[in-house]
Amino acid sequence: MALSLHQRYTHSGYLRVACPEAYLVSAVSLPFLVASPVMSMKALRGLLLPAVALLAGCHTVIMSPSGDLAVQQRDLIIDSVILMLLIIVPVIALTVLFAWRYRASNKHAHYDPEWDHSTMLELLIWSAPLLIIIALGALTWVSTHKLDPFRPLDRLSEGRAVPASAKPLEIDVVALDWKWLFIYPEQGIATVNDVAAPVDRPIQFKITASSVMNSFFIPALAGQIYAMPNMETQLQAVMNKPGDFEGFSANYSGEGFSGMHFIFHSVSDDGFAQWVAQAKASGDALNRDAYVKLAAPSSNDPVHRYANIDPTLYQDILTNCVQPDSMSCMRHAKPAETGAMQSGSAANSMAATPMSHPQ
């Protein structure tokens, strides 16, 4: 959820009043991150979470998400911070220790102006950071592939694999000026600034934009994904808890950017069926003419639902062919003009070259 100004205020004095438990646990947990090497990474994450609350405020959805992909991304952040603290904390502690030990008033400290080298000290100075960099590199390499937004999900949550019979719910997302259009091709409906999905069902978002670049972001579900005109990005995700979660654009896109908010409804299967039935009862149709009117710039648009849609509309938006006679329609573009994109009859099924194509 969006945080109010007073919730984002992170001064330690505020935290002592508003979140005393987080403040107290944070104060005692950080020293043990390095002092207890036998502790598991999972236990260290539990100790670090209150410390993150100290820095980021008490109510931070990024560090307490409800979707498995966002949880894994959260764990990656914490693991990286823990690894870096293994260097940062000792360096800070030794800096303070040396400054105190060799202060001018300490006449008992041995001062050797000719000292210039220590093999043991050099090994400590260089080997420890090198090992941390190697560990961070390995962690980043594995996570980059494991959390690739194009990669189909292999689990619903920790310890629960995706059933072989599970079919992802496809939601086509279009960033308009300045609102969000969600198209459900399987259900034959569309919504504006309102989206829903069943709990524990994999979701496949296909994301594009009508004019300028935006960023599709539901913090409780997964990290942000850019929405770009005439290009398609994807996001595979799943929500594990019921509730209403805020989504918005995380990339400035003009005058109405601040109003590009929507609600993601995580509901049961029956609740999703009821939500679809409500959309089908709206009576409105989203055809090309209706889309042209909808795509006109407007701010703070209310939720709107469409009972049926033109089945080719999303591909036409993606290829800029909502008005087929337009010179900018990519069906008429030459291969040299579209670069890596396909042209001709294959344009109906094309998408811009994505960041990766996991097999």
Side-chain angles (χ1 to χ4, degrees):
M1 296 295 181
L3 302 180
S4 65
L5 182 59
H6 76 276
Q7 288 172 326
R8 291 197 296 263
Y9 187 54
T10 57
H11 191 276
S12 60
Y14 166 75
L15 191 63
R16 281 194 292 268
V17 175
C19 302
E21 297 86 356
Y23 180 82
L24 291 175
V25 176
S26 300
V28 301
S29 64
L30 280 174
F32 291 100
L33 292 175
V34 179
S36 303
V38 296
M39 297 182 67
S40 67
M41 187 64 77
K42 194 169 185 179
L44 288 174
R45 289 177 192 153
L47 287 175
L48 191 62
L49 274 173
V52 175
L54 174 66
L55 300 175
C58 294
H59 306 286
T60 166
V61 68
I62 296 294
M63 304 311 295
S64 183
S66 301
D68 183 63
L69 190 65
V71 168
Q72 294 182 69
Q73 292 170 339
R74 186 272 315 273
D75 291 345
L76 175 60
I77 294 172
I78 295 176
D79 292 347
S80 300
V81 171
I82 290 172
L83 286 172
M84 289 183 284
L85 285 176
L86 293 177
I87 290 295
I88 294 172
V89 172
V91 167
I92 293 175
L94 289 173
T95 299
V96 174
L97 176 63
F98 290 167
W100 174 257
R101 169 67 177 169
Y102 295 102
R103 67 193 187 277
S105 60
N106 186 7
K107 304 302 182 181
H108 300 290
H110 175 67
Y111 174 64
D112 184 2
E114 302 300 324
W115 180 90
D116 63 354
H117 179 75
S118 169
T119 301
M120 182 61 68
L121 189 58
E122 291 285 349
L123 286 174
L124 289 174
I125 290 174
W126 292 107
S127 61
L130 181 61
L131 291 174
I132 296 300
I133 291 172
I134 292 173
L136 283 172
L139 182 65
T140 302
W141 174 268
V142 172
S143 300
T144 297
H145 292 83
K146 183 180 179 181
L147 301 179
D148 188 329
F150 285 83
R151 179 180 178 177
L153 299 180
D154 56 8
R155 73 180 209 183
L156 297 178
S157 62
E158 187 174 8
R160 293 194 301 153
V162 175
S165 59
K167 181 182 179 182
L169 173 66
E170 180 181 336
I171 305 178
D172 300 332
V173 183
V174 183
L176 302 173
D177 295 333
W178 288 274
K179 48 199 167 282
W180 292 96
L181 171 64
F182 300 96
I183 299 174
Y184 289 76
E186 181 181 347
Q187 288 73 25
I189 62 171
T191 60
V192 174
N193 291 340
D194 196 46
V195 60
V199 174
D200 288 339
R201 179 173 177 180
I203 309 170
Q204 181 186 41
F205 292 101
K206 295 183 177 180
I207 307 166
T208 190
S210 63
S211 57
V212 299
M213 183 170 70
N214 272 281
S215 180
F216 179 71
F217 193 20
I218 306 175
L221 180 68
Q224 62 173 319
I225 302 294
Y226 282 110
M228 295 169 281
N230 304 133
M231 298 184 68
E232 181 184 87
T233 52
Q234 293 187 20
L235 173 63
Q236 313 283 338
V238 62
M239 189 68 84
N240 301 124
K241 298 178 182 178
D244 294 337
F245 304 93
E246 186 178 10
F248 52 90
S249 173
N251 188 80
Y252 181 73
S253 58
E255 179 183 357
F257 159 76
S258 60
M260 289 188 69
H261 290 255
F262 61 91
I263 297 298
F264 178 93
H265 306 281
S266 180
V267 295
S268 64
D269 290 335
D270 291 341
F272 181 68
Q274 294 175 6
W275 185 84
V276 172
Q278 290 176 357
K280 286 186 175 294
S282 68
D284 293 337
L286 184 62
N287 51 31
R288 284 176 169 78
D289 291 338
Y291 171 78
V292 170
K293 294 179 181 178
L294 177 65
S298 59
S299 302
N300 299 306
D301 286 51
V303 171
H304 192 84
R305 299 182 176 93
Y306 295 91
N308 55 75
I309 58 173
D310 185 327
T312 65
L313 180 60
Y314 175 74
Q315 284 297 326
D316 290 337
I317 296 170
L318 181 61
T319 56
N320 204 24
C321 295
V322 174
Q323 298 176 334
D325 296 333
S326 172
M327 294 300 295
S328 61
C329 177
M330 298 181 69
R331 293 175 187 166
H332 308 312
K334 298 178 181 179
E337 296 173 348
T338 58
M341 297 183 183
Q342 300 175 0
S343 63
S345 60
N348 289 326
S349 60
M350 77 157 195
T353 304
M355 292 179 287
S356 62
H357 285 289
Q359 301 299 322

